[in-house]
Amino acid sequence: MLTEQQVQTEAAPRFTHRQVLEILAGLMLAMLTSMISTSVVGTALPTIVGTLGGQDQLAWVASATLLTMTASTPLWGKLSDLYGRKFMFQAALLVFVLSSVAAGFSQDMGQLIAARAVQGIGAGGLAALPQIILGDVVEPRERGRYSGYIGAVFGVSTVAGPLLGGFVVDNMSWRWTFWICVPLAVVAFFVIQRVLNLPPSHRAAKVDWWGATFITGGTTALMLLLSLGGKEFAWSSGWTYGLGALSMVLFGLAVLAERRAADPILPPHLFRNHTFVLTCLASLLVGAAMFGALMFLPQYLQIVKNMSPTASGLMTLPMVLGLLASSIAVGRFVTRTGRWKAFPVVGMLLVGLGLFLLSRLHVDSSLVSVGVDITVLGVGLGASMQILILAAQNAVTRADMASTTSGVTFFRSLGGAVGVAAFGAILSNRLTSELVSLAKAAHLPLTGGTAPSLGSPAAIHRLPAPVLEVILEAFTRAIHTVFLVGVPIAVLAALAALMLKELPLRSARGAAPATQADLADAS
């Protein structure tokens, strides 16, 4: 349990506002690089397959990065405790740059998948370490004014990735989808080298190799199940049951290893901290709702509205603007007042409202309606994502901040993987049943009416008008179900946030500290 003395005596190194902005610029460049590089590849995949072959391995190009990124996230936080934030952040950048260059030079699908897996390891560090470094540089009370900008990077990359991918594929070689962001990463490396000067780490501890092995192994088995289930093997199959059992066994061994480790990767006492548990739960649900919506909205725009990938990427701009505006405004308000609890609660309710509005879209819905709906979604995400990390960091000692931050980030990534897998299965099953039902009602001999067999959006829109009408209506009904399922998930996240204790944010400038009773409630 935290003590009041621990919290009050732990002070972040003092940096000026200008120094913080310089450090933040390097962190944001690195995050933007990794996020764009992850999303830019989707646009180029058809071209890559056309060049390298290996259509049967297509799913692995995306899954390999997601798998290693999620599995490695908890490790980066603990390693940064042992070897220093700056060193590990630059190591993550170096891993990411070298693997990106290797991916661009790939001569077959096997080499590309291997390079993408290594790229995901670097991306895991770039997902967790910026939040940890910001926590080192700025106290929680002042952190809100800066964390909003980090949250906005996600929204910008959502639009920039597909747009950049479309431009590169149309005007350059597909290999440049992996190379084009390398200069940004190099700049980020040298910016951090120049401006980030933290006290050296003097911790003499051994790496928790058993914990690392079991946590990584359990996460890998679970991610393989979520990424490949329903694609490479049926959900009801030996592979599903085997990977599920393996992940449970490895996670069980991880719990035993962490309880015995002298310096565990995810300290067991964190799971006795109510704030940490609730923020992890809320982040898991946020990830499921967020990634589920972001993954399948472009499919509605491309299949039902017949938009190009580039145009559908541009259509997410209202969501990005809403996310950007709300994350910055909320961050400034939190810094000024110290009050934060209402924002993840209201934010997740807005996410639920946005998903409900999206579930009411139909074939003839106007693009203005789509823009309004996703703006509501973006405002909700901007108001909640970064505040959950801030709440978790504020409720633990500085010694546990890296493990706490990487833990919350890990659960958000895991929630995203669960959301994409679950929503994808719902979409496929509902689409198949709606196609059969509507085709029968229209007396159409629709054959092969399953999600994987419909073909590309362009191929769908070349079908005869009666068949096209059935497919578009079936897809719209299926996407309704996907978005509706997201609504209760968002509401559950709001309830988890509502249960949080609003501890006063620590401040180096003398803000009211948490009381002993508050700290007891947090733990």
Side-chain angles (χ1 to χ4, degrees), residues 395-418:
V396 299
T397 63
R398 184 166 297 280
D400 285 330
M401 191 185 62
S403 297
T404 297
T405 305
S406 57
V408 173
T409 305
F410 165 76
F411 279 103
R412 188 171 66 192
S413 298
L414 185 61
V418 173

Side-chain angles (χ1 to χ4, degrees), residues 278 345 348-349 490-500:
L278 288 171
V345 177
M348 288 315 301
L349 291 177
V491 172
L492 287 174
L495 291 175
L498 187 63
M499 295 170 64
L500 289 168

Side-chain angles (χ1 to χ4, degrees), residues 70-312:
T70 304
S72 67
T73 297
L75 308 183
W76 285 103
K78 179 54 65 177
L79 290 174
S80 74
D81 275 342
L82 300 178
Y83 303 114
R85 313 282 196 241
K86 183 175 181 176
F87 174 77
M88 294 311 302
F89 183 77
Q90 290 180 314
L93 269 172
L94 187 61
V95 169
F96 190 85
V97 167
L98 293 178
S99 58
S100 297
V101 172
F105 280 113
S106 298
Q107 300 301 307
D108 57 47
M109 280 299 244
Q111 293 178 15
L112 178 59
I113 291 168
R116 289 280 288 169
V118 178
Q119 193 179 44
I121 295 174
L126 298 180
L129 290 173
Q131 297 281 5
I132 297 172
I133 292 172
L134 187 63
D136 283 331
V137 171
V138 186
E139 288 289 358
R141 178 64 181 267
E142 288 77 32
R143 203 172 297 159
R145 67 193 294 198
Y146 304 110
S147 62
Y149 295 104
I150 288 185
V153 170
F154 173 81
V156 172
S157 66
T158 301
V159 174
L163 289 179
L164 192 59
F167 174 82
V168 169
V169 170
D170 290 341
N171 298 280
M172 306 164 70
S173 167
W174 62 265
R175 299 182 185 276
W176 280 98
T177 59
F178 300 103
W179 296 338
I180 200 164
C181 287
V182 169
L184 285 178
V186 173
V187 171
F189 184 97
F190 286 106
V191 167
I192 291 299
Q193 176 64 30
R194 185 177 67 85
V195 303
L196 183 60
N197 297 299
L198 294 172
S201 173
H202 298 292
R203 296 185 61 181
K206 295 181 179 180
V207 178
D208 176 18
W209 292 115
W210 284 114
T213 300
F214 292 138
I215 291 173
T216 304
T219 305
T220 299
L222 181 59
M223 291 298 298
L224 284 171
L225 172 59
L226 295 173
S227 301
L228 303 180
K231 304 182 185 73
E232 300 296 318
F233 51 82
W235 286 112
S236 180
S237 67
W239 279 104
T240 298
Y241 304 134
L243 287 172
L246 178 61
S247 66
M248 293 177 64
V249 170
L250 290 174
F251 282 135
L253 292 173
V255 171
L256 296 177
E258 295 301 85
R259 290 170 66 94
R260 300 180 62 180
D263 196 9
I265 290 173
L266 283 176
H269 68 260
L270 287 181
F271 293 93
R272 296 192 295 270
N273 183 309
H274 295 170
T275 299
F276 175 75
V277 171
L278 288 171
T279 51
C280 285
L281 175 60
S283 296
L284 180 79
L285 296 169
V286 168
M290 175 177 65
F291 286 105
L294 295 179
M295 178 66 68
F296 298 106
L297 178 62
Q299 292 194 33
Y300 167 82
L301 294 172
Q302 292 178 38
I303 293 176
V304 179
K305 309 305 289 185
N306 196 24
M307 299 178 72
S308 68
T310 302
S312 67

